[in-house]
Structures are given as C-alpha cells and as structure tokens.
C-alpha cells in the first residue's frame, strides 16, 4: 500500500504536504477510496443513517457567488413554507421511518429564533433528532434554538482560503463564520461543516487546509461536494469537473476523522448517476433524501439538476451494496 495512505489509516494524521501529495496523485485514487471504505466499516459499521431534508425557505439576504438562491437572482420564484407545512412534512417523514429531520433554508430573517423554536419544539414531541442548516445567527439565537431541542447544526465553511472566501461572499466575514462554528460547538450542538470543491482559483493546498480545519474544529459531520455552476450566478461559466476531487477530499476526511458522520451529498449524485453510491463506498455513511414537496423542492434551486432519491428506492440500492438503513438517530 502507498505509505501515506497506510499512515492515514493507522494514525489518522497527515501533514499538509502529505495531504497535498495524495490529492495531486490520481494514480492513488482506487487505493484511497478503498482505504476510506475500510475505515468507515471499522468505525461506523454498515448502517447508513438517513436524514430527511426539508427546504423551508429560499428567501435570502446573502449573495454567495455560487448559489442560485442568492438575493440578487431575480429569475426565481421565492417561497416560504408556513410552520404548519414544515411540521406536516416532518410528520410524514417520521411516519416513513426517518429518525432525523433536517431543516434547511436560505438566510431568511422572517424566521426569527422564536418562530423556529416553536417549530422545533413541535417536531421534537416525536422521538427524532433535529438538525438545522439556516446560516449565520448570533450566539443568543443559536442558544434559543438549542434550548428548543435542536440537536445538530450544519454550517459549511465553504473554503478556508480567506481571500477566496471574501471574493465569493460579499458583505460576509470569514471570521464571523468561524465564530459561528465555535459558538455552535460551545452550545453543545453536533456541529457539521464542509466545503465546496472545484471553486475557481481554489488550490489543492487550500483543500488540504480545509481538511485540517475540519480536524482542528473537531467537527462531528462533514458535508462536501463539487461546485455545480448555476446560470443565474456570477460563477455561471465555472467548470463543473469537481467530482473526483471531492470524492478524494471526502475519502481523506474519513481517514483522518474516522468516527464522524459523512453524507454522500446530492451534488455528487447530480454530477454522476452513481455518485451517491460511489461516495458511500469511499467513506460516506449518511444520505439526506429530500422530503420537501415536489412544488417547492424545484424552487430551492441552489444549483441546477438536483437529484432526489426516496426511502424505498434507497433501501433497494443500499441492499445491493450490502448496507442497511439504520433505525437509530445516528449521533456521532
Ligand atoms: N443558507 C444555509 C444553507 C445553504 S445551502 C447556509 O448558509 O448554511 C447548503 C450548501 O449548498 C451550501 O453550504 C453550499 O456549500 C452548497 N451549494 C450552494 N450552491 C452550490 C452550487 N452551485 N454547487 C454546489 N453546491 C452548492
């Protein structure tokens, strides 16, 4: 075996230079994916955790350069689900068998911490975990949501290259994003972060920094995937060839953080039909099927061609690769 992959497998530790050299050497890919699959099996077993994703608003105050729901995009129908609609979608998902509800939205300030807390409390009357993915808020707001019963929070750092972060996120601050992640950790959330792979000007060196950042933060979950250019954004002409590189970043993350949760992301399946399965065989142990109703799902177009998958089909596909759906909440 390649000595760096072997070292990562045993020590779960690599230097930046070592990560860079694995990322650059595509002749190692098969070995890398296999090693990540073995570590996933050893630390997390063959159960796959399903998280039901509800995209409850696409109304956004931000202008992230890659994202289709950015405020400046006028070619989009904006929507906001009502608390009752959100609670109903969650109830249906729980009846189907999901044990985690993920509430995701654009940065829609209509949803105050108090309104969200009411929704969380209602959903938490059931035996379920609740994950939030609603962007940046103050410590106090995160605390209200935690006290209401939220268990987990996803907030990708997107990139640890500060200059690139600044270019892609006008009016946002890299320091504040880090502070949000630290606050979430401090408040006791299972905290997820992650990055986009294949951004213009992004280097493998900065991807290595991303991986080391995940480790330093001691993130509980890492979600990452390739950039998929959206026609109504400043990155419309960017390349969309980040599939293999994101699989490599994901596999390396598994080797260095053996016990965390890692989703096979929708962006991976969007670029390749077998993308989700390949990810599950290269370190991932989580899938987040979209349970938003068809009408609104299509309007939450952060990138085009978002592929969805339902519970029954997934069960079938997982069986084919000798994996089962977990019946528990799947904490780290
Ligand atoms: N507003 C929330 C949720 C964002 S959507 C937040 O800020 O956390 C979830 C993720 O989708 C983002 O973190 C981003 O990494 C990803 N995403 C956005 N646009 C994308 C694109 N064009 N291609 C691939 N992934 C994208």
């Amino acid at each position: 075996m390649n000595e760096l992959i072997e070292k990562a497998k045993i020590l779960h530790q690599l230097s930046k230079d070592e990560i860079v050299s694995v990322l650059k050497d595509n002749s190692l890919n098969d070995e890398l994916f296999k090693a990540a699959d073995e570590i996933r099996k050893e630390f997390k077993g063959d159960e796959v955790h399903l998280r039901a994703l509800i995209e409850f608003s696409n109304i956004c105050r931000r202008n992230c350069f890659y994202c289709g729901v950015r405020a400046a995009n006028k070619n989009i129908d904006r929507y906001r689900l009502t608390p009752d609609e959100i609670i109903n979608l969650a109830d249906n998902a729980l009846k189907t068998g999901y044990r985690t509800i993920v509430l995701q939205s654009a940065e829609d300030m209509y949803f105050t911490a108090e309104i969200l807390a009411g929704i969380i409390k209602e959903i938490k009357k059931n035996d379920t975990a609740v994950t939030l993915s609603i962007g940046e808020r103050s410590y106090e707001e995160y605390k209200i949501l935690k006290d209401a019963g939220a268990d987990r929070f996803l907030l990708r750092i997107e990139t640890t290259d500060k200059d690139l972060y600044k270019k892609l996120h006008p009016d946002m601050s890299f320091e504040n994003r880090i502070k949000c992640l630290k606050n979430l950790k401090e408040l006791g959330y299972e905290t997820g972060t992650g990055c986009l792979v294949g951004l213009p000007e992004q280097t493998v060196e900065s991807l290595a920094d991303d991986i080391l950042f995940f480790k330093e933060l001691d993130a509980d979950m890492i979600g990452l995937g390739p950039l998929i250019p959206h026609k109504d954004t400043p990155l419309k002409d960017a390349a969309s060839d980040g599939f293999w590189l994101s699989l490599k970043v994901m596999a390396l993350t598994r080797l260095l953080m053996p016990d965390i949760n890692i989703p096979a992301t929708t962006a991976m399946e969007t670029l390749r039909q077998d993308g989700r399965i390949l990810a599950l065989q290269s370190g991932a142990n989580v899938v987040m099927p979209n349970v938003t109703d068809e009408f609104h799902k299509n309007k939450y177009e952060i990138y085009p061609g978002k592929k969805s998958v339902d519970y029954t089909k997934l069960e079938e596909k997982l069986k084919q690769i000798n994996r089962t759906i977990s019946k528990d909440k799947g904490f780290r």
Side-chain angles (χ1 to χ4, degrees):
M1 197 191 299
N2 169 274
E3 65 179 40
L4 291 180
I5 293 177
E6 190 169 15
K7 178 177 170 190
K9 252 186 114 173
I10 296 167
L11 298 179
H12 313 298
Q13 215 54 274
L14 287 179
S15 70
K16 178 171 175 180
D17 287 347
E18 290 170 334
I19 296 172
V20 168
S21 88
V22 175
L23 287 176
K24 280 186 172 161
D25 186 350
N26 283 328
S27 72
L28 297 177
N29 289 9
D30 288 345
E31 234 181 290
L32 171 65
F33 300 147
K34 185 161 172 281
D37 195 43
E38 285 167 10
I39 291 297
R40 182 273 309 157
K41 192 176 169 73
E42 183 184 335
F43 283 79
K44 306 302 280 183
D46 285 331
E47 289 194 338
V48 173
H49 299 285
L50 301 192
R51 324 292 199 196
L53 177 67
I54 300 174
E55 298 159 335
F56 65 90
S57 168
N58 70 356
I59 297 174
C60 202
R61 62 171 167 164
R62 304 294 196 189
N63 268 302
C64 307
F65 268 36
Y66 41 80
C67 185
V69 310
R70 63 203 306 271
N73 183 9
K74 302 290 176 230
N75 283 330
I76 168 179
D77 269 344
R78 302 282 173 177
Y79 73 91
R80 174 184 285 149
L81 300 188
T82 65
D84 280 347
E85 286 174 318
I86 299 170
I87 291 160
N88 274 335
L89 287 172
D91 280 346
N92 288 338
L94 295 172
K95 280 184 199 128
T96 310
Y98 291 99
R99 304 298 307 281
T100 293
I101 303 296
V102 183
L103 301 177
Q104 186 175 87
S105 69
E107 288 205 15
D108 180 356
M109 303 318 278
Y110 163 85
F111 285 98
T112 58
E114 288 72 21
I115 292 179
L116 287 168
I119 297 168
I120 294 164
K121 280 184 194 152
E122 200 52 43
I123 297 175
K124 286 291 288 189
K125 286 182 182 163
N126 304 283
D127 180 25
T128 181
V130 170
T131 305
L132 301 175
S133 174
I134 58 167
E136 297 180 18
R137 299 282 177 123
S138 68
Y139 182 92
E140 290 70 29
E141 289 170 289
Y142 285 158
K143 180 161 187 340
I144 292 169
L145 301 171
K146 186 79 185 58
D147 292 343
D151 303 277
R152 312 188 182 113
F153 203 107
L154 307 170
L155 185 74
R156 291 184 179 177
I157 190 67
E158 314 293 1
T159 174
T160 55
D161 176 335
K162 272 191 205 174
D163 294 332
L164 184 56
Y165 186 93
K166 231 187 173 127
K167 283 187 199 165
L168 298 176
H169 303 98
D171 310 320
M172 286 172 76
S173 126
F174 181 75
E175 287 70 29
N176 191 57
R177 203 141 182 107
I178 304 249
K179 185 148 177 255
C180 285
L181 286 167
K182 300 232 156 105
N183 287 343
L184 291 165
K185 269 269 173 193
E186 190 185 314
L187 284 163
Y189 283 95
E190 272 208 345
T191 303
T193 189
C195 61
L196 280 163
V197 178
L199 293 164
E201 297 175 41
Q202 188 179 40
T203 61
V204 284
E205 284 75 14
S206 91
L207 288 168
D209 284 332
D210 293 353
I211 297 172
L212 292 172
F213 170 78
F214 305 157
K215 209 166 155 62
E216 190 192 307
L217 180 74
D218 190 25
D220 303 298
M221 315 174 267
I222 292 298
L224 60 89
L227 169 74
I228 302 174
H230 187 294
K231 67 173 174 31
D232 298 315
T233 66
L235 297 195
K236 61 178 185 293
D237 296 323
S240 67
D241 57 0
F243 180 82
W244 291 107
L245 189 53
S246 38
L247 208 61
K248 293 185 76 170
V249 174
M250 192 198 75
L252 275 162
T253 302
R254 169 59 74 204
L255 291 178
L256 300 192
M257 304 181 78
D259 68 338
I260 65 167
N261 283 321
I262 301 184
T265 56
T266 303
M268 289 187 174
E269 176 133 313
T270 301
L271 281 194
R272 270 185 76 99
Q273 214 193 332
D274 56 352
R276 217 177 311 243
I277 295 295
L278 281 176
L280 286 167
Q281 294 178 307
S282 309
N285 69 319
V286 171
V287 178
M288 296 168 64
N290 195 326
V291 301
T292 316
D293 61 280
E294 291 302 320
F295 181 72
H296 294 104
K297 188 189 287 187
N298 297 325
K299 297 184 192 293
Y300 193 82
E301 199 189 50
I302 50 184
Y303 52 81
K306 258 184 356 178
K307 284 283 179 306
S308 46
V309 57
D310 71 34
Y311 196 97
T312 324
K313 276 208 197 97
L314 198 59
E315 202 164 25
E316 200 52 41
K317 277 193 183 176
L318 291 175
K319 221 177 185 172
Q320 287 165 14
I321 57 165
N322 297 318
R323 306 278 280 278
T324 54
I325 292 180
S326 171
K327 302 265 181 279
D328 67 42
K329 297 192 194 86
F331 285 96
R332 178 181 185 182

